[in-house]
Amino acid sequence: MKRLSPSLFNLGSAVFAGPGIGAGYAGVITGSMILLIIALLCALVCALLQAIAFQRAVGDRLEAILSGIRPAAPADDDLRRL
């Protein structure tokens, strides 16, 4: 199964951030607790998606770094030749 790109999680986060900001602003203006809870839930989903994107980006970077490391060749034992 192919892993999703971190940019897709960032896009999902942006999709949830827009309505969250709108609901938070409307909740403050109208004093509606329901809209403020919706804004809080959108912020929670946004933070979760950002955390997943960060974890994927760091994992991809670490995998790229580790792929360049090759195991060292075994040392020659000169004592056997004596």
Side-chain angles (χ1 to χ4, degrees):
M1 183 173 167
K2 187 176 178 192
R3 290 179 49 173
L4 293 175
S5 171
S7 61
L8 289 177
F9 287 103
N10 286 331
L11 179 64
S13 177
V15 167
F16 274 94
I21 292 170
Y25 182 71
V28 168
I29 297 297
T30 62
S32 172
M33 187 60 77
I34 300 282
L35 289 174
L36 291 175
I37 290 173
I38 291 171
L40 181 66
L41 290 175
C42 285
L44 183 67
V45 170
C46 183
L48 178 66
L49 290 173
Q50 283 290 313
I52 292 171
F54 179 74
Q55 181 266 336
R56 292 280 172 101
V58 169
D60 290 345
R61 183 76 172 159
L62 183 62
E63 186 177 330
I65 290 171
L66 291 178
S67 69
I69 299 174
R70 295 191 176 100
D76 291 330
D77 189 13
D78 292 333
L79 295 177
R80 287 187 287 169
R81 294 184 189 166
L82 293 177

